[in-house]
Amino acid sequence: MINKVFNKIKGHPHLTDGTAYAILFTIGTCHLLNDMIQSVIPAIYPLLKEKFGFTFAQIGIITLVFQLTSSVLQPFVGRYADRHPQPYSLAMGMCFTLVGLVSLAFASGFLVLLLSVALIGCGSSVFHPEASRVAQIASGGKKSLAQSIFQVGGNGGSAFGPLLAALIVIPHGQHAVGWFALAALLASLLLTRIGYWYSLVLNEIKEHHRKRIFAPCALPEKTIRMALGILVLMIFSKYFFNACMTSYFTFYLIEKFDLSVQASQYCLFAYLAAFAIGTLLGGFLGDRYGRKYVILFSILGAAPFTLAMPYLNLGWTIVMAILTGLIIASAFSAIVVYATDLKPDKVGMIAGIFFGLMFGLGGIGSAFFGWLADRTSVEYIFHVSTWLPLLGIVAVFLPDVRPKKL
């Protein structure tokens, strides 16, 4: 009976030459569901702060625990997946997220909340590096396109999370978080089908003794290390700023413009929706103009808009936030593909490192800005964060890397 149910869930995927668009859009949908669930956590911070009387520092600690569990394991999962792929690990990882959501819906104190977000973070740490590897395998050589489809799913989920939180959780309370467990269950089913396709690919490679050919990077090892260091700095700049926006932008709007919690969530949705669109544009522009220039434009190009935000009225603040999200988001797809071009034989590990840095630095940034907000004000940390995109100027030192055609 169990085998019959499992066979129906797996479906009947088949292998094709070229780009496997069905797999790419399915893994992108799973990324949407995964990141939608994750984005619910910061979206309900105002509700949790009011219900439990948390300080901004405690809010920052919740984010730190969530982001660290989302990040610390990712490079190790990616490295292991490069050597020993586990097709069904994606579906199993989503089960951690499912348990964490149910726990979060009924958490009655700070420690239980920390445990809940840690479980959701563990699910994410399994998902991202292995899913990135699947996207690369399904790309048929179109790596930037594959990464864009995969990444825009995640950023789309990050945008819809706060919107759904405003519509479902804020009006009905903490227990309504449990409804998002249905999204985790759907993702688990879809990932089971992907796992079956992935196992077919691995079996074909094994049976025919095929090895995937990677175009080696011609740059000296010293230059590669320098380029990777610059990419890490770009991740720091982008995600420290983004941590302030995702965790405290709603508080800033409530405090400065006297918005309601629900209205502030709609404004956060506008920023995150622009963030999702910008991600897709970044992948296509990177192929056309070179990923170095997309990274430079994305980080540094957002600076004029971020620096203007603290001095504008509500309407123009939202406009600047949307433009910032649209521009700064285009960097991540370019950064990940650029990094895998530097280390093309270590896709899982590189994806794990950079997704891990994204979550880890975002968590540290949120905790830092929460600590600073308790000692100053939300408006002050917003002023400080708007200077971070200026670090994008360092991207001028990146070598111009374009993937070789085999």
Side-chain angles (χ1 to χ4, degrees), residues 38 63-78 117-118 120-126 128-129 349 351-364:
Q38 292 181 79
T63 303
L64 178 62
V65 170
F66 170 58
Q67 302 286 37
L68 286 181
T69 54
S70 298
S71 62
V72 170
L73 295 177
Q74 288 204 36
F76 300 102
V77 172
V117 300
I120 297 173
C122 286
S124 180
S125 70
V126 174
H128 284 100
M349 187 183 75
I353 288 172
F354 280 91
F355 274 106
L357 284 170
M358 177 182 75
F359 290 117
L361 290 174
I364 294 170

PDB file of all heavy atoms in Angstrom, residues 38 63-78 117-118 120-126 128-129 349 351-364:
ATOM      1  N   GLN A  38       9.771  30.757   5.048  1.00  0.00           N
ATOM      2  CA  GLN A  38      10.806  31.447   5.815  1.00  0.00           C
ATOM      3  C   GLN A  38      10.462  32.911   6.057  1.00  0.00           C
ATOM      4  O   GLN A  38      10.704  33.449   7.134  1.00  0.00           O
ATOM      5  CB  GLN A  38      12.136  31.364   5.075  1.00  0.00           C
ATOM      6  CG  GLN A  38      12.727  29.975   4.999  1.00  0.00           C
ATOM      7  CD  GLN A  38      14.054  29.995   4.282  1.00  0.00           C
ATOM      8  OE1 GLN A  38      15.076  30.353   4.857  1.00  0.00           O
ATOM      9  NE2 GLN A  38      14.046  29.646   3.021  1.00  0.00           N
ATOM     10  N   THR A  63      15.964  35.953  14.822  1.00  0.00           N
ATOM     11  CA  THR A  63      16.457  35.953  13.446  1.00  0.00           C
ATOM     12  C   THR A  63      17.836  35.310  13.364  1.00  0.00           C
ATOM     13  O   THR A  63      18.132  34.566  12.424  1.00  0.00           O
ATOM     14  CB  THR A  63      16.515  37.387  12.896  1.00  0.00           C
ATOM     15  OG1 THR A  63      15.220  37.970  12.986  1.00  0.00           O
ATOM     16  CG2 THR A  63      16.965  37.410  11.442  1.00  0.00           C
ATOM     17  N   LEU A  64      18.684  35.603  14.338  1.00  0.00           N
ATOM     18  CA  LEU A  64      20.041  35.048  14.336  1.00  0.00           C
ATOM     19  C   LEU A  64      20.010  33.522  14.391  1.00  0.00           C
ATOM     20  O   LEU A  64      20.702  32.848  13.616  1.00  0.00           O
ATOM     21  CB  LEU A  64      20.829  35.604  15.522  1.00  0.00           C
ATOM     22  CG  LEU A  64      22.259  35.077  15.689  1.00  0.00           C
ATOM     23  CD1 LEU A  64      23.107  35.443  14.486  1.00  0.00           C
ATOM     24  CD2 LEU A  64      22.885  35.608  16.976  1.00  0.00           C
ATOM     25  N   VAL A  65      19.200  32.961  15.294  1.00  0.00           N
ATOM     26  CA  VAL A  65      19.092  31.500  15.409  1.00  0.00           C
ATOM     27  C   VAL A  65      18.565  30.904  14.115  1.00  0.00           C
ATOM     28  O   VAL A  65      19.090  29.900  13.599  1.00  0.00           O
ATOM     29  CB  VAL A  65      18.183  31.115  16.594  1.00  0.00           C
ATOM     30  CG1 VAL A  65      17.857  29.618  16.565  1.00  0.00           C
ATOM     31  CG2 VAL A  65      18.850  31.477  17.909  1.00  0.00           C
ATOM     32  N   PHE A  66      17.540  31.535  13.556  1.00  0.00           N
ATOM     33  CA  PHE A  66      16.961  31.047  12.307  1.00  0.00           C
ATOM     34  C   PHE A  66      17.982  31.093  11.175  1.00  0.00           C
ATOM     35  O   PHE A  66      18.164  30.115  10.438  1.00  0.00           O
ATOM     36  CB  PHE A  66      15.735  31.888  11.966  1.00  0.00           C
ATOM     37  CG  PHE A  66      15.203  31.641  10.582  1.00  0.00           C
ATOM     38  CD1 PHE A  66      14.822  30.380  10.193  1.00  0.00           C
ATOM     39  CD2 PHE A  66      15.091  32.684   9.671  1.00  0.00           C
ATOM     40  CE1 PHE A  66      14.334  30.143   8.914  1.00  0.00           C
ATOM     41  CE2 PHE A  66      14.613  32.462   8.402  1.00  0.00           C
ATOM     42  CZ  PHE A  66      14.225  31.191   8.015  1.00  0.00           C
ATOM     43  N   GLN A  67      18.661  32.222  11.040  1.00  0.00           N
ATOM     44  CA  GLN A  67      19.598  32.379   9.930  1.00  0.00           C
ATOM     45  C   GLN A  67      20.837  31.510  10.099  1.00  0.00           C
ATOM     46  O   GLN A  67      21.377  30.998   9.108  1.00  0.00           O
ATOM     47  CB  GLN A  67      20.003  33.855   9.785  1.00  0.00           C
ATOM     48  CG  GLN A  67      18.842  34.818   9.562  1.00  0.00           C
ATOM     49  CD  GLN A  67      18.272  34.734   8.167  1.00  0.00           C
ATOM     50  OE1 GLN A  67      18.198  33.653   7.592  1.00  0.00           O
ATOM     51  NE2 GLN A  67      17.862  35.849   7.609  1.00  0.00           N
ATOM     52  N   LEU A  68      21.299  31.332  11.327  1.00  0.00           N
ATOM     53  CA  LEU A  68      22.489  30.500  11.534  1.00  0.00           C
ATOM     54  C   LEU A  68      22.195  29.031  11.249  1.00  0.00           C
ATOM     55  O   LEU A  68      23.004  28.335  10.629  1.00  0.00           O
ATOM     56  CB  LEU A  68      23.025  30.677  12.961  1.00  0.00           C
ATOM     57  CG  LEU A  68      23.745  32.000  13.241  1.00  0.00           C
ATOM     58  CD1 LEU A  68      24.239  32.044  14.682  1.00  0.00           C
ATOM     59  CD2 LEU A  68      24.922  32.205  12.284  1.00  0.00           C
ATOM     60  N   THR A  69      21.032  28.542  11.695  1.00  0.00           N
ATOM     61  CA  THR A  69      20.692  27.151  11.383  1.00  0.00           C
ATOM     62  C   THR A  69      20.437  26.982   9.893  1.00  0.00           C
ATOM     63  O   THR A  69      20.611  25.886   9.347  1.00  0.00           O
ATOM     64  CB  THR A  69      19.454  26.692  12.173  1.00  0.00           C
ATOM     65  OG1 THR A  69      18.371  27.610  11.952  1.00  0.00           O
ATOM     66  CG2 THR A  69      19.739  26.609  13.650  1.00  0.00           C
ATOM     67  N   SER A  70      20.028  28.075   9.231  1.00  0.00           N
ATOM     68  CA  SER A  70      19.834  28.024   7.783  1.00  0.00           C
ATOM     69  C   SER A  70      21.149  28.054   7.026  1.00  0.00           C
ATOM     70  O   SER A  70      21.185  27.690   5.854  1.00  0.00           O
ATOM     71  CB  SER A  70      18.991  29.230   7.317  1.00  0.00           C
ATOM     72  OG  SER A  70      17.718  29.206   7.890  1.00  0.00           O
ATOM     73  N   SER A  71      22.218  28.514   7.690  1.00  0.00           N
ATOM     74  CA  SER A  71      23.452  28.780   6.962  1.00  0.00           C
ATOM     75  C   SER A  71      24.613  27.858   7.320  1.00  0.00           C
ATOM     76  O   SER A  71      25.366  27.449   6.431  1.00  0.00           O
ATOM     77  CB  SER A  71      23.886  30.232   7.196  1.00  0.00           C
ATOM     78  OG  SER A  71      24.162  30.460   8.575  1.00  0.00           O
ATOM     79  N   VAL A  72      24.763  27.520   8.606  1.00  0.00           N
ATOM     80  CA  VAL A  72      25.960  26.802   9.041  1.00  0.00           C
ATOM     81  C   VAL A  72      26.098  25.445   8.349  1.00  0.00           C
ATOM     82  O   VAL A  72      27.197  25.039   7.949  1.00  0.00           O
ATOM     83  CB  VAL A  72      25.951  26.630  10.580  1.00  0.00           C
ATOM     84  CG1 VAL A  72      27.068  25.682  11.018  1.00  0.00           C
ATOM     85  CG2 VAL A  72      26.106  27.978  11.267  1.00  0.00           C
ATOM     86  N   LEU A  73      24.987  24.742   8.180  1.00  0.00           N
ATOM     87  CA  LEU A  73      25.047  23.404   7.597  1.00  0.00           C
ATOM     88  C   LEU A  73      25.173  23.403   6.071  1.00  0.00           C
ATOM     89  O   LEU A  73      25.580  22.396   5.482  1.00  0.00           O
ATOM     90  CB  LEU A  73      23.795  22.605   7.992  1.00  0.00           C
ATOM     91  CG  LEU A  73      23.617  22.276   9.471  1.00  0.00           C
ATOM     92  CD1 LEU A  73      22.290  21.551   9.676  1.00  0.00           C
ATOM     93  CD2 LEU A  73      24.769  21.432   9.985  1.00  0.00           C
ATOM     94  N   GLN A  74      24.835  24.516   5.429  1.00  0.00           N
ATOM     95  CA  GLN A  74      24.726  24.502   3.973  1.00  0.00           C
ATOM     96  C   GLN A  74      26.019  24.132   3.239  1.00  0.00           C
ATOM     97  O   GLN A  74      25.985  23.317   2.308  1.00  0.00           O
ATOM     98  CB  GLN A  74      24.184  25.842   3.470  1.00  0.00           C
ATOM     99  CG  GLN A  74      22.723  26.035   3.783  1.00  0.00           C
ATOM    100  CD  GLN A  74      22.048  27.008   2.846  1.00  0.00           C
ATOM    101  OE1 GLN A  74      22.349  27.073   1.660  1.00  0.00           O
ATOM    102  NE2 GLN A  74      21.120  27.779   3.384  1.00  0.00           N
ATOM    103  N   PRO A  75      27.180  24.703   3.598  1.00  0.00           N
ATOM    104  CA  PRO A  75      28.403  24.296   2.884  1.00  0.00           C
ATOM    105  C   PRO A  75      28.719  22.813   3.046  1.00  0.00           C
ATOM    106  O   PRO A  75      29.189  22.165   2.107  1.00  0.00           O
ATOM    107  CB  PRO A  75      29.496  25.168   3.528  1.00  0.00           C
ATOM    108  CG  PRO A  75      28.770  26.336   4.102  1.00  0.00           C
ATOM    109  CD  PRO A  75      27.450  25.789   4.553  1.00  0.00           C
ATOM    110  N   PHE A  76      28.428  22.248   4.231  1.00  0.00           N
ATOM    111  CA  PHE A  76      28.710  20.833   4.468  1.00  0.00           C
ATOM    112  C   PHE A  76      27.743  19.952   3.683  1.00  0.00           C
ATOM    113  O   PHE A  76      28.140  18.934   3.115  1.00  0.00           O
ATOM    114  CB  PHE A  76      28.617  20.533   5.966  1.00  0.00           C
ATOM    115  CG  PHE A  76      29.588  21.321   6.794  1.00  0.00           C
ATOM    116  CD1 PHE A  76      29.173  22.427   7.516  1.00  0.00           C
ATOM    117  CD2 PHE A  76      30.929  20.968   6.840  1.00  0.00           C
ATOM    118  CE1 PHE A  76      30.067  23.164   8.273  1.00  0.00           C
ATOM    119  CE2 PHE A  76      31.843  21.695   7.598  1.00  0.00           C
ATOM    120  CZ  PHE A  76      31.401  22.798   8.311  1.00  0.00           C
ATOM    121  N   VAL A  77      26.461  20.366   3.641  1.00  0.00           N
ATOM    122  CA  VAL A  77      25.485  19.631   2.834  1.00  0.00           C
ATOM    123  C   VAL A  77      25.878  19.683   1.363  1.00  0.00           C
ATOM    124  O   VAL A  77      25.840  18.667   0.651  1.00  0.00           O
ATOM    125  CB  VAL A  77      24.071  20.216   3.034  1.00  0.00           C
ATOM    126  CG1 VAL A  77      23.075  19.583   2.046  1.00  0.00           C
ATOM    127  CG2 VAL A  77      23.592  19.991   4.464  1.00  0.00           C
ATOM    128  N   GLY A  78      26.284  20.867   0.892  1.00  0.00           N
ATOM    129  CA  GLY A  78      26.688  21.023  -0.499  1.00  0.00           C
ATOM    130  C   GLY A  78      27.912  20.200  -0.846  1.00  0.00           C
ATOM    131  O   GLY A  78      27.966  19.555  -1.907  1.00  0.00           O
ATOM    132  N   VAL A 117      12.022  28.013  14.999  1.00  0.00           N
ATOM    133  CA  VAL A 117      12.691  28.638  13.851  1.00  0.00           C
ATOM    134  C   VAL A 117      13.972  27.893  13.502  1.00  0.00           C
ATOM    135  O   VAL A 117      14.392  27.886  12.337  1.00  0.00           O
ATOM    136  CB  VAL A 117      12.970  30.142  14.104  1.00  0.00           C
ATOM    137  CG1 VAL A 117      11.669  30.899  14.345  1.00  0.00           C
ATOM    138  CG2 VAL A 117      13.941  30.366  15.247  1.00  0.00           C
ATOM    139  N   ALA A 118      14.599  27.231  14.506  1.00  0.00           N
ATOM    140  CA  ALA A 118      15.797  26.432  14.220  1.00  0.00           C
ATOM    141  C   ALA A 118      15.455  25.237  13.340  1.00  0.00           C
ATOM    142  O   ALA A 118      16.206  24.888  12.419  1.00  0.00           O
ATOM    143  CB  ALA A 118      16.441  25.967  15.521  1.00  0.00           C
ATOM    144  N   ILE A 120      12.930  25.064  11.189  1.00  0.00           N
ATOM    145  CA  ILE A 120      12.667  25.595   9.850  1.00  0.00           C
ATOM    146  C   ILE A 120      13.980  25.930   9.152  1.00  0.00           C
ATOM    147  O   ILE A 120      14.154  25.677   7.954  1.00  0.00           O
ATOM    148  CB  ILE A 120      11.766  26.840   9.938  1.00  0.00           C
ATOM    149  CG1 ILE A 120      10.406  26.461  10.517  1.00  0.00           C
ATOM    150  CG2 ILE A 120      11.591  27.496   8.573  1.00  0.00           C
ATOM    151  CD1 ILE A 120       9.492  27.641  10.815  1.00  0.00           C
ATOM    152  N   GLY A 121      14.934  26.459   9.919  1.00  0.00           N
ATOM    153  CA  GLY A 121      16.246  26.776   9.363  1.00  0.00           C
ATOM    154  C   GLY A 121      16.987  25.532   8.905  1.00  0.00           C
ATOM    155  O   GLY A 121      17.647  25.544   7.858  1.00  0.00           O
ATOM    156  N   CYS A 122      16.892  24.439   9.663  1.00  0.00           N
ATOM    157  CA  CYS A 122      17.547  23.190   9.256  1.00  0.00           C
ATOM    158  C   CYS A 122      16.982  22.671   7.938  1.00  0.00           C
ATOM    159  O   CYS A 122      17.726  22.182   7.079  1.00  0.00           O
ATOM    160  CB  CYS A 122      17.373  22.136  10.349  1.00  0.00           C
ATOM    161  SG  CYS A 122      18.395  22.417  11.815  1.00  0.00           S
ATOM    162  N   GLY A 123      15.657  22.786   7.772  1.00  0.00           N
ATOM    163  CA  GLY A 123      15.047  22.379   6.513  1.00  0.00           C
ATOM    164  C   GLY A 123      15.586  23.175   5.351  1.00  0.00           C
ATOM    165  O   GLY A 123      15.859  22.637   4.268  1.00  0.00           O
ATOM    166  N   SER A 124      15.767  24.463   5.581  1.00  0.00           N
ATOM    167  CA  SER A 124      16.297  25.337   4.538  1.00  0.00           C
ATOM    168  C   SER A 124      17.748  25.006   4.208  1.00  0.00           C
ATOM    169  O   SER A 124      18.162  25.063   3.049  1.00  0.00           O
ATOM    170  CB  SER A 124      16.186  26.800   4.982  1.00  0.00           C
ATOM    171  OG  SER A 124      16.682  27.662   4.001  1.00  0.00           O
ATOM    172  N   SER A 125      18.527  24.635   5.222  1.00  0.00           N
ATOM    173  CA  SER A 125      19.950  24.333   5.002  1.00  0.00           C
ATOM    174  C   SER A 125      20.133  23.087   4.146  1.00  0.00           C
ATOM    175  O   SER A 125      21.127  22.952   3.435  1.00  0.00           O
ATOM    176  CB  SER A 125      20.674  24.165   6.342  1.00  0.00           C
ATOM    177  OG  SER A 125      20.271  22.971   6.992  1.00  0.00           O
ATOM    178  N   VAL A 126      19.179  22.162   4.200  1.00  0.00           N
ATOM    179  CA  VAL A 126      19.224  20.983   3.337  1.00  0.00           C
ATOM    180  C   VAL A 126      18.758  21.331   1.933  1.00  0.00           C
ATOM    181  O   VAL A 126      19.311  20.861   0.930  1.00  0.00           O
ATOM    182  CB  VAL A 126      18.360  19.851   3.930  1.00  0.00           C
ATOM    183  CG1 VAL A 126      18.275  18.672   2.961  1.00  0.00           C
ATOM    184  CG2 VAL A 126      18.912  19.392   5.271  1.00  0.00           C
ATOM    185  N   HIS A 128      18.624  24.332  -0.002  1.00  0.00           N
ATOM    186  CA  HIS A 128      19.255  25.243  -0.960  1.00  0.00           C
ATOM    187  C   HIS A 128      20.446  24.657  -1.733  1.00  0.00           C
ATOM    188  O   HIS A 128      20.474  24.762  -2.967  1.00  0.00           O
ATOM    189  CB  HIS A 128      19.651  26.549  -0.269  1.00  0.00           C
ATOM    190  CG  HIS A 128      18.485  27.448  -0.015  1.00  0.00           C
ATOM    191  ND1 HIS A 128      17.871  27.538   1.222  1.00  0.00           N
ATOM    192  CD2 HIS A 128      17.803  28.284  -0.836  1.00  0.00           C
ATOM    193  CE1 HIS A 128      16.863  28.396   1.139  1.00  0.00           C
ATOM    194  NE2 HIS A 128      16.799  28.856  -0.086  1.00  0.00           N
ATOM    195  N   PRO A 129      21.447  24.069  -1.080  1.00  0.00           N
ATOM    196  CA  PRO A 129      22.587  23.583  -1.889  1.00  0.00           C
ATOM    197  C   PRO A 129      22.217  22.431  -2.815  1.00  0.00           C
ATOM    198  O   PRO A 129      22.657  22.392  -3.967  1.00  0.00           O
ATOM    199  CB  PRO A 129      23.608  23.136  -0.822  1.00  0.00           C
ATOM    200  CG  PRO A 129      22.829  22.948   0.428  1.00  0.00           C
ATOM    201  CD  PRO A 129      21.691  23.912   0.360  1.00  0.00           C
ATOM    202  N   MET A 349      28.948  22.730  -3.185  1.00  0.00           N
ATOM    203  CA  MET A 349      29.656  23.379  -2.093  1.00  0.00           C
ATOM    204  C   MET A 349      29.614  24.899  -2.227  1.00  0.00           C
ATOM    205  O   MET A 349      29.360  25.616  -1.250  1.00  0.00           O
ATOM    206  CB  MET A 349      31.110  22.905  -2.032  1.00  0.00           C
ATOM    207  CG  MET A 349      31.860  23.421  -0.810  1.00  0.00           C
ATOM    208  SD  MET A 349      33.600  22.933  -0.807  1.00  0.00           S
ATOM    209  CE  MET A 349      34.268  24.046  -2.040  1.00  0.00           C
ATOM    210  N   ALA A 351      27.407  26.737  -3.914  1.00  0.00           N
ATOM    211  CA  ALA A 351      26.045  27.195  -3.653  1.00  0.00           C
ATOM    212  C   ALA A 351      25.750  27.168  -2.161  1.00  0.00           C
ATOM    213  O   ALA A 351      25.131  28.097  -1.620  1.00  0.00           O
ATOM    214  CB  ALA A 351      25.046  26.315  -4.408  1.00  0.00           C
ATOM    215  N   GLY A 352      26.194  26.119  -1.468  1.00  0.00           N
ATOM    216  CA  GLY A 352      25.985  26.035  -0.025  1.00  0.00           C
ATOM    217  C   GLY A 352      26.673  27.159   0.717  1.00  0.00           C
ATOM    218  O   GLY A 352      26.109  27.742   1.647  1.00  0.00           O
ATOM    219  N   ILE A 353      27.906  27.479   0.302  1.00  0.00           N
ATOM    220  CA  ILE A 353      28.646  28.561   0.961  1.00  0.00           C
ATOM    221  C   ILE A 353      27.928  29.887   0.787  1.00  0.00           C
ATOM    222  O   ILE A 353      27.719  30.640   1.760  1.00  0.00           O
ATOM    223  CB  ILE A 353      30.084  28.650   0.409  1.00  0.00           C
ATOM    224  CG1 ILE A 353      30.918  27.457   0.900  1.00  0.00           C
ATOM    225  CG2 ILE A 353      30.748  29.968   0.816  1.00  0.00           C
ATOM    226  CD1 ILE A 353      32.287  27.358   0.262  1.00  0.00           C
ATOM    227  N   PHE A 354      27.512  30.196  -0.442  1.00  0.00           N
ATOM    228  CA  PHE A 354      26.936  31.521  -0.678  1.00  0.00           C
ATOM    229  C   PHE A 354      25.495  31.633  -0.176  1.00  0.00           C
ATOM    230  O   PHE A 354      25.102  32.685   0.327  1.00  0.00           O
ATOM    231  CB  PHE A 354      27.060  31.899  -2.158  1.00  0.00           C
ATOM    232  CG  PHE A 354      28.428  32.401  -2.494  1.00  0.00           C
ATOM    233  CD1 PHE A 354      29.420  31.540  -2.938  1.00  0.00           C
ATOM    234  CD2 PHE A 354      28.747  33.737  -2.313  1.00  0.00           C
ATOM    235  CE1 PHE A 354      30.705  32.000  -3.210  1.00  0.00           C
ATOM    236  CE2 PHE A 354      30.027  34.204  -2.587  1.00  0.00           C
ATOM    237  CZ  PHE A 354      31.007  33.343  -3.033  1.00  0.00           C
ATOM    238  N   PHE A 355      24.727  30.568  -0.265  1.00  0.00           N
ATOM    239  CA  PHE A 355      23.412  30.601   0.383  1.00  0.00           C
ATOM    240  C   PHE A 355      23.576  30.663   1.901  1.00  0.00           C
ATOM    241  O   PHE A 355      22.826  31.339   2.599  1.00  0.00           O
ATOM    242  CB  PHE A 355      22.575  29.381  -0.008  1.00  0.00           C
ATOM    243  CG  PHE A 355      21.817  29.555  -1.289  1.00  0.00           C
ATOM    244  CD1 PHE A 355      22.224  28.916  -2.448  1.00  0.00           C
ATOM    245  CD2 PHE A 355      20.685  30.363  -1.336  1.00  0.00           C
ATOM    246  CE1 PHE A 355      21.525  29.074  -3.635  1.00  0.00           C
ATOM    247  CE2 PHE A 355      19.982  30.520  -2.519  1.00  0.00           C
ATOM    248  CZ  PHE A 355      20.396  29.884  -3.676  1.00  0.00           C
ATOM    249  N   GLY A 356      24.580  29.926   2.406  1.00  0.00           N
ATOM    250  CA  GLY A 356      24.852  29.981   3.841  1.00  0.00           C
ATOM    251  C   GLY A 356      25.264  31.368   4.293  1.00  0.00           C
ATOM    252  O   GLY A 356      24.809  31.865   5.333  1.00  0.00           O
ATOM    253  N   LEU A 357      26.139  32.014   3.520  1.00  0.00           N
ATOM    254  CA  LEU A 357      26.532  33.381   3.845  1.00  0.00           C
ATOM    255  C   LEU A 357      25.341  34.330   3.782  1.00  0.00           C
ATOM    256  O   LEU A 357      25.206  35.230   4.619  1.00  0.00           O
ATOM    257  CB  LEU A 357      27.622  33.854   2.877  1.00  0.00           C
ATOM    258  CG  LEU A 357      29.026  33.308   3.106  1.00  0.00           C
ATOM    259  CD1 LEU A 357      29.929  33.671   1.934  1.00  0.00           C
ATOM    260  CD2 LEU A 357      29.600  33.856   4.408  1.00  0.00           C
ATOM    261  N   MET A 358      24.470  34.111   2.792  1.00  0.00           N
ATOM    262  CA  MET A 358      23.282  34.958   2.664  1.00  0.00           C
ATOM    263  C   MET A 358      22.453  34.906   3.941  1.00  0.00           C
ATOM    264  O   MET A 358      22.075  35.942   4.494  1.00  0.00           O
ATOM    265  CB  MET A 358      22.448  34.493   1.472  1.00  0.00           C
ATOM    266  CG  MET A 358      21.156  35.256   1.272  1.00  0.00           C
ATOM    267  SD  MET A 358      20.179  34.617  -0.111  1.00  0.00           S
ATOM    268  CE  MET A 358      19.508  33.116   0.609  1.00  0.00           C
ATOM    269  N   PHE A 359      22.175  33.690   4.428  1.00  0.00           N
ATOM    270  CA  PHE A 359      21.368  33.551   5.633  1.00  0.00           C
ATOM    271  C   PHE A 359      22.139  33.956   6.884  1.00  0.00           C
ATOM    272  O   PHE A 359      21.608  34.639   7.766  1.00  0.00           O
ATOM    273  CB  PHE A 359      20.871  32.110   5.774  1.00  0.00           C
ATOM    274  CG  PHE A 359      19.843  31.731   4.760  1.00  0.00           C
ATOM    275  CD1 PHE A 359      20.089  30.722   3.841  1.00  0.00           C
ATOM    276  CD2 PHE A 359      18.621  32.384   4.709  1.00  0.00           C
ATOM    277  CE1 PHE A 359      19.145  30.368   2.894  1.00  0.00           C
ATOM    278  CE2 PHE A 359      17.663  32.036   3.765  1.00  0.00           C
ATOM    279  CZ  PHE A 359      17.929  31.026   2.860  1.00  0.00           C
ATOM    280  N   GLY A 360      23.404  33.511   6.962  1.00  0.00           N
ATOM    281  CA  GLY A 360      24.194  33.787   8.162  1.00  0.00           C
ATOM    282  C   GLY A 360      24.450  35.260   8.369  1.00  0.00           C
ATOM    283  O   GLY A 360      24.238  35.804   9.460  1.00  0.00           O
ATOM    284  N   LEU A 361      24.911  35.947   7.323  1.00  0.00           N
ATOM    285  CA  LEU A 361      25.165  37.377   7.444  1.00  0.00           C
ATOM    286  C   LEU A 361      23.868  38.149   7.641  1.00  0.00           C
ATOM    287  O   LEU A 361      23.832  39.154   8.355  1.00  0.00           O
ATOM    288  CB  LEU A 361      25.909  37.887   6.211  1.00  0.00           C
ATOM    289  CG  LEU A 361      27.357  37.416   6.087  1.00  0.00           C
ATOM    290  CD1 LEU A 361      27.950  37.857   4.749  1.00  0.00           C
ATOM    291  CD2 LEU A 361      28.200  37.959   7.236  1.00  0.00           C
ATOM    292  N   GLY A 362      22.791  37.655   7.010  1.00  0.00           N
ATOM    293  CA  GLY A 362      21.499  38.288   7.243  1.00  0.00           C
ATOM    294  C   GLY A 362      21.078  38.170   8.697  1.00  0.00           C
ATOM    295  O   GLY A 362      20.550  39.126   9.290  1.00  0.00           O
ATOM    296  N   GLY A 363      21.301  37.001   9.304  1.00  0.00           N
ATOM    297  CA  GLY A 363      20.965  36.811  10.713  1.00  0.00           C
ATOM    298  C   GLY A 363      21.811  37.653  11.638  1.00  0.00           C
ATOM    299  O   GLY A 363      21.310  38.271  12.590  1.00  0.00           O
ATOM    300  N   ILE A 364      23.118  37.692  11.366  1.00  0.00           N
ATOM    301  CA  ILE A 364      24.006  38.536  12.185  1.00  0.00           C
ATOM    302  C   ILE A 364      23.622  39.997  12.041  1.00  0.00           C
ATOM    303  O   ILE A 364      23.591  40.748  13.025  1.00  0.00           O
ATOM    304  CB  ILE A 364      25.477  38.305  11.777  1.00  0.00           C
ATOM    305  CG1 ILE A 364      25.902  36.871  12.121  1.00  0.00           C
ATOM    306  CG2 ILE A 364      26.398  39.314  12.465  1.00  0.00           C
ATOM    307  CD1 ILE A 364      27.247  36.481  11.553  1.00  0.00           C
TER     308      ILE A 364
END
